[in-house]
Every structure is written in C-alpha cells, then in structure tokens.
C-alpha cells in the first residue's frame, strides 16, 4: 500500500535515509557524498526534506507491507512563472516541474514493484498538480538506479 507519510513513520524513514546515505557514500566516486555520523544526521536531513515538501507543495509517500514501512519517496514542485527570473525567462517558457528528491526501498523488498508503485503515485500527484515535466537527479555511478529509471520511462 502506498500512502502519505504520517508522524509515526518518522523513525523508519530516518533509518532508511541513514542507509541510503551510506549507500551513496560507498558508491560516489567523486567523493562529494559524506556518510552520516549518526542517525541524528539522517533525522536532521529528513526534517529539511519534509520542510521542503511543505513549502514547495510536495509530498513524502511511503510503501507499507504488513504494517511495516518498507520504502519512501520525496518530491517537490518548482514553479517558474514569467517575470520572476529574467535569466530563466531568456531561455525557458514558464513551467511547473515535479522533482523526485529521494527514493528508497529496503533491500529485502526490492524487485517486487514497490519502487515503481512509489514513483507512479508521485507522478500521479505531479500530474494532478499540473506539472509540465517530472525530473530527478541520480548519481552517475548508480548504474542500478539509472537502469531502473530508464526501464520506467525516465
């Protein structure tokens, strides 16, 4: 089941973010990524992501199996209106971009379509909100994620 995050999910979300950052640290050949020193670092980071969703009309969705949160996705909306940024206006039409910020599924639950479900629900939300495009960033060293995103149409 995919649903919106509730406060009771927070510890599980923080733990997954801790694992995700550990993965990024080990994978990132540029060495720009750092490993968190403690779960408190993950909590602080996720609080910023949650705050961003509130201020940028976004959402944090979770995947739940048997009353256990097994994955999450975070996304925000960035709207570019004509006249707000003269430099942007020189080369772009007004737009409303849906941005996927974070996606994580616990290793034991991967390969079962949960990531696709999370992305599908977030894409649906962006479409309802009138987004003109959906974007994401991925580490160039993350071949598995790149393959996954290509497989589902990114």
């Amino acid at each position: 089941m995919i649903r919106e995050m509730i406060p009771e999910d927070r510890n599980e979300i923080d733990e997954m973010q801790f694992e995700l950052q550990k993965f990024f640290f080990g994978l990132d050949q540029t060495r720009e990524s750092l490993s968190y020193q403690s779960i408190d670092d993950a909590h602080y980071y996720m609080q910023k992501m949650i705050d961003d969703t509130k201020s940028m009309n976004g959402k944090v969705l979770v995947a739940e199996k048997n009353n256990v949160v097994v994955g999450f996705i975070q996304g925000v909306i960035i709207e570019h209106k004509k006249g707000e940024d003269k430099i942007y206006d020189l080369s772009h039409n007004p737009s409303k971009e849906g941005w996927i910020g974070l996606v994580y599924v616990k290793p034991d639950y991967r390969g079962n379509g949960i990531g696709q479900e999370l992305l599908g629900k977030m894409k649906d939300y962006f479409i309802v909100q009138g987004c003109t495009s959906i974007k994401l960033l991925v580490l160039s060293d993350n071949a598995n994620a790149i393959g996954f995103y290509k497989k589902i149409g990114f």
Side-chain angles (χ1 to χ4, degrees):
M1 168 176 70
I2 307 298
R3 61 172 174 76
E4 286 191 44
M5 182 189 135
I6 58 174
E8 292 79 11
D9 299 327
R10 187 58 195 277
N11 287 340
E12 288 174 283
I13 298 285
D14 290 350
E15 289 171 12
M16 286 186 279
Q17 177 56 32
F18 186 86
E19 292 302 316
L20 181 59
Q21 189 62 27
K22 189 186 323 179
F23 173 75
F24 287 161
F25 175 71
L27 186 69
D28 183 8
Q29 293 180 16
T30 68
R31 290 294 167 228
E32 292 174 358
S33 298
L34 297 174
S35 185
Y36 293 141
Q37 298 301 307
S38 72
I39 193 72
D40 292 337
D41 293 343
H43 181 82
Y44 178 77
Y45 184 87
M46 281 311 302
Q47 187 59 55
K48 172 67 172 129
M49 296 298 99
I50 291 165
D51 292 346
D52 284 352
T53 63
K54 291 176 184 173
S55 68
M56 300 171 80
N57 194 25
K59 290 208 180 278
V60 177
L61 303 175
V62 299
E64 184 178 72
K65 298 287 180 194
N66 301 317
N67 297 318
V68 175
V69 175
V70 299
F72 75 96
I73 187 169
Q74 181 261 353
V76 298
I77 296 173
I78 299 174
E79 190 165 3
H80 301 281
K81 296 179 182 175
K82 188 159 185 68
E84 289 184 342
D85 182 338
K86 291 184 189 293
I87 300 300
Y88 186 88
D89 290 348
L90 291 173
S91 58
H92 295 83
N93 286 314
S95 64
K96 193 173 189 180
E97 303 167 346
W99 275 93
I100 305 293
L102 299 167
V103 181
Y104 184 82
V105 176
K106 290 180 178 179
D108 290 348
Y109 295 89
R110 293 179 189 161
N112 296 308
I114 294 169
Q116 286 181 288
E117 284 184 70
L118 285 164
L119 277 160
K121 290 289 187 186
M122 188 62 75
K123 285 172 69 173
D124 291 346
Y125 173 72
F126 289 151
I127 290 166
V128 167
Q129 296 302 310
C131 291
T132 54
S133 62
I134 301 172
K135 301 180 178 188
L136 57 82
L137 295 174
V138 63
L139 286 173
S140 60
D141 301 321
N142 195 345
N144 288 339
I146 292 168
F148 169 73
Y149 292 131
K150 282 182 178 180
K151 177 181 160 187
I152 61 172
F154 279 90

